[in-house]
Amino acid sequence: MSTEAKDFHHSLKQDTFNHPDFYMLDELFTDEQKLIRSTIRDFVKRDISPIIEDACQQARFPQHLVKQLGEMGCFGPQLPTKYGCGGMDYTTYGIMMQELERCDSGIRSTASVQGSLVMYPIYLFGSEEQKMKYLPRLATGELLGCFGLTEPDYGSDPGGMKSNFKDMGDHYLLNGSKMWISNSPFADIAVIWAKDEEGKICGLILERGMEGFTTPETHGKWSLRASATGELVFDNVKVPKENLLPGVKGLRGPLSCLNSARYGISWGAVGAAMDCYESAVKYSKERIMFGKPIARFQLQQKKLSEMLTEITKAQLLCWRLGKLMDEGRATPAQISLAKRNNVEMALNIAREARQIHGGMGITGEYPIMRHMMNLESVITYEGTHDVHLLILGLEITGENAFN
Ligand SMILES: Cc1cc2nc3c(=O)[nH]c(=O)nc-3n(C[C@H](O)[C@H](O)[C@H](O)COP(=O)(O)OP(=O)(O)OC[C@H]3O[C@@H](n4cnc5c(N)ncnc54)[C@H](O)[C@@H]3O)c2cc1C
């Protein structure tokens, strides 16, 4: 390779991201929030950006990052310091998820699952012993967790789940299976949801190594390739009684965790959109066609203008939702609106950015195609795009259109 070609190749790989802030929203964030954002951004640029493309191309979960994400405070930053967590506000949590997903939705997924779907239910519904036993080690990344709700025949309708456990006197006997579980092949523990003998949904903490508990990996994904996905299989698993989450019964348990995760996604998706936008702006200025940069063509300017408009609207939505979360006033329907809007917005921007990059847009030289494929999962998990409409529809009309 010539020196110029090497330089060109190198410059494409270098992460020079800077977020667009058209409405000067940075003025709305505290100095501490901005400091945390730049700390996470530097970490991402230094330790994740250089390896993420290869990890995705090879469908390899970069397991070594788990400890680093813990050290950077990305696991459960919104939970109390008493349990080794960050004790920060929800806005800061959102900012952190945005920085991670700006790099890759799979990395953000690992942090969302750990913080909102594993640590949060243990914090909210666990006994003091369970909190002390698990939360500090999950916060540092010494332990990796996963969250088992979805089953092969029950996705959008988790209330129909078949996984169940029986009271055997000195332990519970668990049977069933879960599907599409992020982190499962590498997880040390799993917070899973199953029905008791009365048909009530309860949370149980499983540990790797329990007899009859296996976590086969799901292969062949074209999306979230840097995040490991798998099943959870329970074949007469003897679960100690102290592993039941005592604080909740019913679908409210898993749904309250999903709210927290969906909130993080609504920030995260904006990160992916900003990365696509930044790349498209740069490319449009560098790419010469018909003797001039393509940025000079109105059709390309229209795309970029609409991208910035949608990103700015979504940034405002995140900021306000963060405030409502911090005040404990955000409703599930408000969270649904933000998750749904921002993920769709990001996916549309990824598609437009892909076109601006022409053929180069489909290669791993740019992050566009990776973001686009990732977002196809993000628009489906944590409540599908349709399900969030039904949540909003119920809020607006008072009519339940789910069944
Ligand atoms: C990469 C990845 C990671 C995941 N990680 C996890 C995880 O960590 N833990 C976990 O528990 N789950 C996880 N999931 C599962 C995810 O939450 C489900 O895929 C999602 O809830 C949808 O379920 P489903 O795939 O069975 O689709 P279905 O529920 O079968 O839906 C199929 C289609 O029907 C539509 N639909 C369903 N019901 C209605 C209705 N009432 N009215 C109108 N349309 C309807 C849906 O919107 C969708 O378009 C993950 C999924 C993916 C892809």
Side-chain angles (χ1 to χ4, degrees):
M1 211 189 275
S2 70
T3 317
E4 291 93 310
K6 267 187 195 147
D7 285 344
F8 182 59
H9 190 77
H10 183 65
S11 75
L12 289 177
K13 287 286 177 198
Q14 235 173 16
D15 184 352
T16 55
F17 175 78
N18 197 12
H19 67 285
D21 185 16
F22 198 60
Y23 266 36
M24 291 161 275
L25 289 172
D26 273 5
E27 292 173 13
L28 301 175
F29 296 118
T30 63
D31 287 343
E32 194 190 350
Q33 287 165 345
K34 283 183 275 197
L35 182 67
I36 289 170
R37 181 179 62 195
S38 60
T39 308
I40 302 295
R41 188 171 298 173
D42 290 347
F43 156 63
V44 164
K45 286 185 178 181
R46 189 185 62 238
D47 291 333
I48 312 184
S49 297
I51 60 142
I52 195 63
E53 184 60 35
D54 279 352
C56 283
Q57 295 275 357
Q58 294 164 25
R60 181 175 46 78
F61 174 56
Q63 200 180 356
H64 69 279
L65 287 178
V66 173
K67 278 260 168 64
Q68 282 176 277
L69 286 163
E71 278 162 22
M72 298 306 295
C74 297
F75 295 148
Q78 80 285 21
L79 299 179
T81 50
K82 179 182 173 195
Y83 303 111
C85 307
M88 293 181 224
D89 56 28
Y90 266 95
T91 302
T92 308
Y93 171 57
I95 288 171
M96 292 170 100
M97 295 305 110
Q98 189 161 88
E99 289 304 313
L100 295 181
E101 191 148 9
R102 197 282 296 172
C103 183
D104 191 84
S105 305
I107 303 297
R108 198 269 307 135
S109 297
T110 297
S112 284
V113 168
Q114 181 93 336
S116 283
L117 300 180
V118 179
M119 296 169 72
Y120 187 68
I122 294 176
Y123 168 66
L124 214 55
F125 308 124
S127 65
E128 195 56 28
E129 294 76 49
Q130 288 169 339
K131 291 182 209 183
M132 294 313 281
K133 180 173 178 191
Y134 295 109
L135 291 180
R137 293 200 290 155
L138 287 162
T140 57
E142 183 190 334
L143 294 179
L144 180 69
C146 68
F147 171 88
L149 178 65
T150 307
E151 297 191 355
D153 294 330
Y154 297 93
S156 300
D157 180 18
M161 69 174 65
K162 288 275 183 278
S163 293
N164 67 88
F165 63 94
K166 289 191 171 60
D167 190 337
M168 307 302 280
D170 62 342
H171 64 270
Y172 297 120
L173 197 65
L174 174 69
N175 279 289
S177 68
K178 300 286 173 182
M179 193 180 175
W180 291 120
I181 307 305
S182 304
N183 296 355
S184 97
F186 294 90
D188 303 291
I189 69 163
V191 169
I192 69 104
W193 301 89
K195 285 181 177 165
D196 65 11
E197 283 158 281
E198 291 171 5
K200 298 258 165 54
I201 293 173
C202 299
L204 293 164
I205 304 171
L206 303 193
E207 294 190 7
R208 183 171 294 284
M210 286 179 170
E211 212 181 315
F213 173 40
T214 48
T215 61
E217 186 161 1
T218 302
H219 294 287
K221 290 181 302 165
W222 282 110
S223 176
L224 292 189
R225 287 165 66 83
S227 156
T229 313
E231 296 167 47
L232 301 175
V233 181
F234 321 125
D235 181 11
N236 285 319
V237 185
K238 282 185 183 175
V239 184
K241 285 202 147 169
E242 65 265 23
N243 286 30
L244 179 86
L245 294 178
V248 73
K249 267 194 183 190
L251 210 48
R252 184 176 70 82
L255 292 189
S256 49
C257 317
L258 291 176
N259 268 330
S260 171
R262 288 166 180 174
Y263 164 76
I265 293 173
S266 66
W267 282 82
V270 182
M274 295 194 301
D275 202 38
C276 292
Y277 167 77
E278 285 287 295
S279 182
V281 171
K282 267 188 219 131
Y283 191 82
S284 71
K285 290 179 182 172
E286 288 163 7
R287 180 67 176 163
I288 309 294
M289 206 42 57
F290 295 96
K292 46 181 116 147
I294 59 169
R296 218 172 280 170
F297 298 122
Q298 290 179 359
L299 284 175
Q300 306 312 317
Q301 290 188 4
K302 176 176 188 287
K303 289 191 179 82
L304 295 171
S305 303
E306 286 175 350
M307 284 182 194
L308 183 60
T309 307
E310 291 308 316
I311 287 171
T312 303
K313 282 151 68 179
Q315 285 171 324
L316 279 159
L317 207 54
C318 286
W319 178 81
R320 179 63 186 150
L321 188 61
K323 282 273 166 221
L324 292 174
M325 288 290 284
D326 288 333
E327 293 165 10
R329 293 198 292 147
T331 67
Q334 286 170 336
I335 296 171
S336 281
L337 186 151
K339 190 264 184 184
R340 187 175 185 280
N341 180 78
N342 292 3
V343 177
E344 183 179 40
M345 175 280 299
L347 200 44
N348 288 339
I349 284 182
R351 287 174 182 148
E352 292 291 297
R354 219 287 303 142
Q355 295 209 51
I356 290 177
H357 287 75
M360 287 308 287
I362 69 156
T363 71
E365 291 292 333
Y366 296 91
I368 314 298
M369 197 73 185
R370 182 164 49 76
H371 281 308
M372 195 198 300
M373 295 198 301
N374 284 342
L375 289 162
E376 290 292 347
S377 286
V378 181
I379 204 165
T380 286
Y381 72 20
E382 303 282 349
T384 68
H385 206 51
D386 295 330
V387 160
H388 289 296
L389 275 187
L390 299 182
I391 294 172
L392 282 168
L394 172 61
E395 180 85 359
I396 297 164
T397 65
E399 300 284 353
N400 184 344
F402 279 94
N403 44 38

